[in-house]
């Protein structure tokens, strides 16, 4: 089972288009088995029979609703990219999974990455989409019902670890031959050592770029503070220095993003040959969709 975490985006349309493999539409409904799991708070608002009539645009509007309800909510990095998206893909040799198995995978992964708590309607809105063969997509809005931002500590490592546990529980193949395979014992020790080293380096780089406690965010915060203080000075050089330090802070933020991408590559093996379809322009929800999606 191969996990991949996508770059966060401001609208659910982008993530849902990628998950479906086709553009989101306000005319085309999803089949009853496409959304295999979702946020528990949806049931009181939209019963199962009503959800069957939802179009893919309705589902996108449902996920986007917290962003419209809390226009000032921002991430720890002060951005508005609230839509989180990850997918997992089965290895080529894996068996076909049933609907309940996909649902179980979705719930376990959602708990592992911090977007779901069993039975808690105060957690963030999320759905799991099984629309493409051998693939499951998790999409969530990280803004909680109280307007705060969902925390996802150790996201990549927890996602990778849960994938390994699911492989064992469901008798699936891992990126390396399964532990039960007769060929596993023949693997060179260097392969196991390389896998362990990769995990350790991923953890090290994750700590370096961590938005809450990493040294890079501390340095970026100090630069931003200095820029703010210089911008408030009456001297002529103040605004110029503020602008220069602002660019330095943005470059540090870019370095954090680059490190996050490296960690994602170390923790997963994404399919770099697949090109995402063209993304439609997001639009605000219709009045009816907003009514259905808002608790």
């Amino acid at each position: 089972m191969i996990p991949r975490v996508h770059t966060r985006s401001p609208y659910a349309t982008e993530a849902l288009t990628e998950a479906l493999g086709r553009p989101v539409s306000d005319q085309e409904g999803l089949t009853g088995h496409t959304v295999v799991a979702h946020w528990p708070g949806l049931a009181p608002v939209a019963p199962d029979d009503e959800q069957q009539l939802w179009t893919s645009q309705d589902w996108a509007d449902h996920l986007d609703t917290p962003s419209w309800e809390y226009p000032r909510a921002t991430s720890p990095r002060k951005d508005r990219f609230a839509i989180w998206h990850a997918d997992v893909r089965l290895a080529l040799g894996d068996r076909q999974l049933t609907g309940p198995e996909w649902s179980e995978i979705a719930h376990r992964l959602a708990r592992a990455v911090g977007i779901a708590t069993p039975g808690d309607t105060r957690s963030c809105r999320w759905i799991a989409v099984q629309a493409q063969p051998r693939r499951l997509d998790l999409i969530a809005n990280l803004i909680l019902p109280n307007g705060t931002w969902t925390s996802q500590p150790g996201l990549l490592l927890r996602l990778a670890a849960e994938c390994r546990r699911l492989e064992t529980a469901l008798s699936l193949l891992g990126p390396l031959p399964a532990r039960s395979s007769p060929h596993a014992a023949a693997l060179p020790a260097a392969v196991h050592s390389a896998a362990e080293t990769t995990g350790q380096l991923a953890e090290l780089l994750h700590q370096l770029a961590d938005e809450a406690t990493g040294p890079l965010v501390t340095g970026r915060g100090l630069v931003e503070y200095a820029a703010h203080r210089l911008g408030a000075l009456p001297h002529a050089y103040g605004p110029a220095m503020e602008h220069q330090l602002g660019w330095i802070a943005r470059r540090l933020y870019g370095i954090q993003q680059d490190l996050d991408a490296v960690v994602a590559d170390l923790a997963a093996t994404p399919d770099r040959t697949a090109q995402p379809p063209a993304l439609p322009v997001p639009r605000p929800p219709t009045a009816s969709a907003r009514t259905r999606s808002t608790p």
Side-chain angles (χ1 to χ4, degrees):
M1 183 178 290
I2 303 169
R4 176 176 59 167
V5 178
H6 300 252
T7 303
R8 287 188 290 110
S9 58
Y11 300 103
T13 306
E14 178 179 344
L16 193 52
T17 294
E18 167 73 16
L20 295 173
R22 62 181 185 276
V24 167
S25 169
D26 59 0
Q27 302 295 322
E28 178 187 9
L30 301 181
T31 64
H33 303 292
T34 302
V35 178
V36 297
H38 57 70
W39 172 61
L42 178 60
V45 179
D48 289 343
D49 55 348
E50 182 179 334
Q51 296 169 25
Q52 301 299 319
L53 303 177
W54 276 18
T55 65
S56 53
Q57 185 63 59
D58 288 332
W59 284 104
D61 291 343
H62 165 69
L63 290 170
D64 282 335
T65 295
S67 299
W68 295 315
E69 291 181 340
Y70 297 99
R72 296 186 178 181
T74 58
S75 76
R77 294 180 178 178
K78 306 304 179 185
D79 63 58
R80 288 277 296 162
F81 300 122
I83 300 301
W84 179 86
H85 177 205
D87 69 71
V88 292
R89 308 185 189 207
L90 300 182
L92 291 177
D94 276 327
R95 61 182 176 85
Q96 295 292 333
L97 299 181
T98 65
E101 286 176 320
W102 282 120
S103 180
E104 173 68 13
I105 291 172
H107 282 287
R108 287 182 56 170
L109 291 177
R111 292 194 294 270
V113 300
I115 62 173
T117 302
D120 186 2
T121 58
R122 296 169 298 177
S123 59
C124 60
R125 297 187 181 205
W126 65 276
I127 64 172
V129 177
Q130 208 282 298
Q132 301 187 59
R134 317 179 67 78
R135 168 174 168 164
L136 179 76
D137 288 75
L138 286 175
I139 307 172
N141 190 315
L142 297 181
I143 300 176
L144 294 166
N146 63 3
T148 59
W149 204 272
T150 302
S151 175
Q152 294 180 292
L155 166 66
L156 296 170
L157 294 180
R158 293 173 65 181
L159 177 61
E162 189 61 29
C163 284
R164 303 292 82 81
R165 286 189 285 267
L166 283 165
E167 288 162 2
T168 300
L170 298 174
S171 301
L172 301 174
L173 301 177
L176 296 175
R179 297 182 182 89
S180 58
S181 167
H183 303 291
L187 284 174
V191 174
H192 295 290
S193 176
E196 293 174 1
T197 301
T198 298
Q200 293 170 357
L201 291 175
E203 174 63 20
L204 175 65
L205 294 176
H206 172 70
Q207 292 175 4
L208 179 63
D210 186 80
E211 184 63 27
T213 60
L216 281 178
V217 73
T218 302
R220 196 183 88 222
L222 292 173
V223 171
E224 291 172 343
Y225 173 75
H228 176 73
R229 291 292 302 273
L230 283 170
L233 293 177
H235 305 289
Y237 61 79
M241 279 292 185
E242 179 187 21
H243 181 74
Q244 183 177 353
L245 289 175
W247 273 109
I248 293 173
R250 281 192 284 273
R251 288 201 296 272
L252 286 172
Y253 176 61
I255 291 173
Q256 285 182 262
Q257 291 184 309
D258 290 341
L259 286 173
D260 284 340
V262 171
V263 172
D265 287 339
L266 289 174
T269 309
D271 180 5
R272 300 185 184 278
T273 62
Q275 296 296 325
L279 300 177
V281 177
R283 60 171 182 79
T286 61
S288 60
R290 193 182 300 113
T291 300
R292 285 196 298 270
S293 299
T294 304

